Amino acid sequence: MAGRSNIVKNGNIVMDAVRAANHDRYLSALYAPADKRDALFALYAFNAEIAGVRDRIHEPLPGEVRLQWWRDIIAADGDAETGHPTADALRATISANGLPKAAFEYMLEARIFDLYDDPMPSRTDLEGYCGETAAALIQLAAMVIDPAAAPGFAELAGRAGCAQAITGLLLLLPLHRRRGQCFVPADILAAAGTTPEEFVKGESGAAAERAVAAMIALAREHLNAFEKGAPALPVTLRPAFLPLALTRAYLDKMEKAGRSPLNTTAALSTLRRHWLLLRHAMRGWEPL
């Protein structure tokens, strides 16, 4: 009972944090059953916290200290409050839903990469990063909503997470290049005829566009695999996967003439996002 009360007590603060940090996930959580939403907001607020460490703490070592703080908070036993609304809601969510702490450990470990400017070595490394971040978050959300059904869709969560995360990285490409970060794998860049250093500096020209096209194709590959299996999702699990309702629209917008992700961040209108989420919430991914 203490865990559930902590989720509810911090609910509005945590919900507002998600609404500000990731409006797409905020909207998707509203389609979950009312008694599951606070737990989803706790997961999504935690993800926003650790994904935004570099935005708030600009040096890598203090950033690692912050990630370690989260490790310690999650590892600690007992109901003692931290005074941090997201941390308290997350601990209560983990306890109330029996979520595996190892998943959060892997998520935090993956986020260390965000703090440095090391290039992403390969496609395999990128997919591993996506699996431990976005895919893990989807699977944890599924476990909250329907713990009995969730294990049967872990592989689908992996595909969904890769599609969503790669699309998200493309949306953030202008920001990452300004920072000197390169999430485009070195093997994809090499195949396109450039290097991480040239890509970040904007010296690649047509090669950079080829690399971006390869990233869009990779996101579509995972999205197509997800959509092929998505009709089997039970209605109960749809809210956990619902952010994927927007992924194809984002990718389509990136491929429009004059809208290269290298220079422009694709955006969807609020009305279109609401419509896509509603459509998929009601009908799933059945052929329309």
Side-chain angles (χ1 to χ4, degrees), residues 94-106:
I94 292 170
S95 176
N97 295 276
L99 300 180
K101 291 185 177 183
F104 296 92
E105 171 63 30
Y106 296 144

Side-chain angles (χ1 to χ4, degrees), residues 44-140:
Y44 296 158
F46 164 71
N47 180 71
E49 282 272 350
I50 63 173
V53 167
R54 179 157 178 166
D55 295 321
R56 298 186 301 274
I57 305 173
H58 304 296
E59 295 297 325
L61 288 180
E64 288 207 43
V65 170
R66 186 59 176 174
L67 294 179
Q68 183 60 48
W69 181 86
W70 279 105
R71 284 194 189 90
D72 295 340
I73 288 295
I74 292 167
D77 294 321
D79 294 326
E81 296 185 17
T82 67
H84 189 295
T86 296
D88 290 336
L90 179 68
R91 288 177 59 180
T93 296
I94 292 170
S95 176
N97 295 276
L99 300 180
K101 291 185 177 183
F104 296 92
E105 171 63 30
Y106 296 144
M107 199 180 296
L108 288 161
E109 185 67 26
R111 287 295 180 182
I112 293 175
F113 183 87
D114 300 0
L115 306 177
Y116 295 87
D117 294 334
D118 299 331
M120 185 67 72
S122 69
R123 167 179 167 163
T124 300
D125 291 300
L126 174 62
E127 290 170 331
Y129 172 89
C130 296
E132 291 172 352
T133 53
L137 189 63
I138 292 170
Q139 185 64 8
L140 289 166

Side-chain angles (χ1 to χ4, degrees), residues 25 130-131 134-136 138-139 153-167 219 222-227 230 233 240-244 247 285:
R25 283 198 175 103
C130 296
I138 292 170
Q139 185 64 8
F153 295 92
E155 184 175 347
L156 201 62
R159 288 292 200 170
C162 283
Q164 185 185 26
I166 294 168
T167 301
H222 285 288
L223 181 61
N224 290 339
F226 162 72
E227 290 179 342
L233 277 172
F241 291 82
L242 201 51
L244 270 294
T247 300
W285 280 263

Side-chain angles (χ1 to χ4, degrees), residues 13-63:
I13 297 173
V14 174
M15 180 183 69
D16 289 344
V18 177
R19 181 162 43 199
N22 193 315
H23 204 253
D24 291 349
R25 283 198 175 103
Y26 164 75
L27 291 175
S28 71
L30 298 181
Y31 288 94
D35 64 340
K36 304 292 186 180
R37 290 175 198 158
D38 285 338
L40 292 182
F41 286 135
L43 290 176
Y44 296 158
F46 164 71
N47 180 71
E49 282 272 350
I50 63 173
V53 167
R54 179 157 178 166
D55 295 321
R56 298 186 301 274
I57 305 173
H58 304 296
E59 295 297 325
L61 288 180

Side-chain angles (χ1 to χ4, degrees), residues 110-235:
R111 287 295 180 182
I112 293 175
F113 183 87
D114 300 0
L115 306 177
Y116 295 87
D117 294 334
D118 299 331
M120 185 67 72
S122 69
R123 167 179 167 163
T124 300
D125 291 300
L126 174 62
E127 290 170 331
Y129 172 89
C130 296
E132 291 172 352
T133 53
L137 189 63
I138 292 170
Q139 185 64 8
L140 289 166
M143 292 173 68
V144 164
I145 296 170
D146 189 342
F153 295 92
E155 184 175 347
L156 201 62
R159 288 292 200 170
C162 283
Q164 185 185 26
I166 294 168
T167 301
L169 291 173
L170 286 164
L171 291 172
L172 292 171
L173 195 51
L175 171 64
H176 291 159
R177 292 177 86 197
R178 289 195 298 271
R179 286 178 174 172
Q181 284 181 292
C182 188
F183 283 88
V184 181
D187 55 357
I188 289 179
L189 291 169
T194 186
T195 66
E197 294 76 18
E198 291 173 346
F199 183 81
V200 167
K201 292 178 182 177
E203 299 173 352
S204 306
E209 294 290 356
R210 289 193 294 270
V212 167
M215 284 284 282
I216 292 174
L218 180 58
R220 287 195 185 277
E221 176 185 325
H222 285 288
L223 181 61
N224 290 339
F226 162 72
E227 290 179 342
K228 183 177 180 181
L233 277 172
V235 173

